[in-house]
């Protein structure tokens, strides 16, 4: 849950000890350090473009796109906010 209006279901997430305060019983309440999305043909546009912009806006430091079909991982790092 990035905020009350932006709730996403993550494939894989990492939260550092420094940000452990965002971990609650009901889930991750804020921007995690790392998000990994596994791309499927039905989620390509949402994962590659919509979530990329959303995670950048909320300050997710690193975003990985795992493309199983092409056997690749694209690593995106947020620079200067």
């Amino acid at each position: 849950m990035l905020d009350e209006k932006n709730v996403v279901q993550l494939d894989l997430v990492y939260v550092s000890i420094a940000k452990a305060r965002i971990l609650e019983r009901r889930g991750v309440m804020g921007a995690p350090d790392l998000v990994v999305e596994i791309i499927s043909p039905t989620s390509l546009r949402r994962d590659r473009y919509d979530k990329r912009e959303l995670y950048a806006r909320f300050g997710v430091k690193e975003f990985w796109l795992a493309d199983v079909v092409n056997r690749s991982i694209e690593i995106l790092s947020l620079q200067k906010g």
Side-chain angles (χ1 to χ4, degrees), residues 14-25 27-33:
Y14 169 77
V15 176
S16 66
I17 292 173
K19 293 184 77 173
R21 69 189 180 289
I22 69 171
L23 297 174
E24 295 184 10
R25 240 187 219 293
V28 179
M29 303 303 177
D33 295 282

Side-chain angles (χ1 to χ4, degrees), residues 10-75:
L10 308 169
D11 293 324
L12 184 66
V13 63
Y14 169 77
V15 176
S16 66
I17 292 173
K19 293 184 77 173
R21 69 189 180 289
I22 69 171
L23 297 174
E24 295 184 10
R25 240 187 219 293
R26 59 188 178 144
V28 179
M29 303 303 177
D33 295 282
L34 167 67
V35 171
V36 179
E37 292 288 350
I38 300 170
I39 297 173
S40 70
T42 59
S43 70
L44 178 64
R45 175 164 172 48
R46 179 158 168 72
D47 290 342
R48 183 170 297 280
Y49 302 106
D50 299 342
K51 287 185 178 180
R52 175 183 178 167
E53 186 276 326
L54 184 67
Y55 297 149
R57 186 162 34 109
F58 280 91
V60 174
K61 294 177 185 177
E62 200 160 304
F63 174 40
W64 295 9
L65 285 163
D67 187 337
V68 177
V69 173
N70 292 312
R71 300 177 72 180
S72 67
I73 296 178
E74 185 176 344
I75 299 173

